Amino acid sequence: MPIAARPDHVAVAVPDMDAAAARWQGALGGVWLSPRYSGGGFGTRQLRFANTGKLELLEPDEAEGFAAGFVARFGARIHHLTLKVPDLLEAVATLEAAGYDTVDVSTAQEEWHEAFLRPSQVGGMIVQIARPQHDDEGWARRAGVQLPPVDPEAPALLGPTLTHPDLDAARRLWSTLGAELTDDGDGFVARWGDAPIDVRVVPGPSAGPIGLRFDPDPGLPADDVAGPETLPR
């Protein structure tokens, strides 16, 4: 039984958000949605592209903590995909019944409920399951800003591409996460209705994210500051 989910954003961990923004905001035309959020040893800020696909930049605020540890271990790369659900605990129960472990389940804050799937289960990338209290417009009002329009000249952010050595296991996971799967050459694409972000999975000797797809693809390589390479549709 799949959960009821919809992608909200994909996040990239970087050592310096302002430096990374030179690519995602400056070169590619992403528009900041709201001011920077800080807490728990990290800072985040989200960009939106022409198709309303959202990219979150995540940077360490402290020398210790998960963000600093992630960047120290992996460098600037894709960190997680967030799926929104209408009821967090119901989604957690469905995932656990399907044999997946959820960790760091939190419903303490009414405005944001969350849980996580381990990268070992997903295939080298974290999946965050979240029940937010607000949509983008609501978060903007809460921050005291207006939701800005997207740049029509910016490319569309389509989502991450992952490699996985066991496509059958990957298909089962993304189906349980509520996606419809479409064959795509030697891999598949996981889509959620009309959501702007999807996930492409291709075979590979190891599991993990390899880049972010844009349309059109600017053809940018992986970078130690900005993050992963860009890929075509």
Side-chain angles (χ1 to χ4, degrees):
M1 176 181 175
I3 65 172
R6 181 181 176 88
D8 183 71
H9 66 268
V10 59
V12 170
V14 295
D16 186 308
M17 187 187 302
D18 291 337
R23 168 182 286 194
W24 308 113
Q25 184 211 14
L28 295 187
V31 176
W32 293 120
L33 286 181
S34 62
R36 183 183 187 277
Y37 165 83
S38 296
F42 66 95
T44 66
R45 197 175 184 189
Q46 291 185 353
L47 295 152
R48 190 164 64 161
F49 290 85
N51 63 336
T52 72
K54 293 188 295 182
L55 174 66
E56 179 175 272
L57 297 182
L58 183 156
E59 70 176 355
D61 270 350
E62 301 173 354
E64 305 292 333
F66 84 87
F70 184 91
V71 171
R73 182 178 179 185
F74 299 108
R77 60 170 274 179
I78 295 172
H79 182 266
H80 69 263
L81 173 75
T82 295
L83 299 177
K84 295 195 300 185
V85 296
D87 186 304
L88 180 74
L89 296 182
E90 181 178 308
V92 165
T94 299
L95 290 168
E96 292 185 346
Y100 299 105
D101 297 327
T102 55
V103 298
D104 298 330
V105 179
S106 175
T107 59
Q109 302 295 326
E110 177 55 30
E111 63 186 19
W112 185 263
H113 295 175
E114 67 178 12
F116 298 86
L117 287 177
R118 299 180 189 277
S120 59
Q121 294 180 314
V122 176
M125 182 181 72
I126 298 167
V127 168
Q128 178 187 46
I129 311 298
R131 194 284 292 159
Q133 189 176 35
H134 307 292
D135 59 12
D136 288 343
E137 291 185 355
W139 288 117
R141 286 195 300 270
R142 184 177 180 275
V145 299
Q146 290 187 333
L147 191 66
V150 298
D151 180 356
E153 300 300 319
L157 169 61
L158 304 180
T161 293
L162 316 177
T163 57
H164 203 289
D166 186 343
L167 288 189
D168 288 340
R171 287 176 183 276
R172 178 174 177 269
L173 169 75
W174 293 104
S175 293
T176 305
L177 290 172
E180 295 182 0
L181 308 186
T182 303
D183 288 339
D184 181 28
D186 53 358
F188 66 88
V189 177
R191 294 188 175 93
W192 292 260
D194 62 353
I197 288 179
D198 56 36
V199 176
R200 185 167 187 251
V201 183
V202 297
S206 60
I210 59 174
L212 287 172
R213 287 170 292 117
F214 283 85
D215 185 21
D217 173 27
L220 299 175
D223 183 87
D224 291 340
V225 173
E229 69 174 311
T230 65
L231 301 171
R233 176 184 288 275

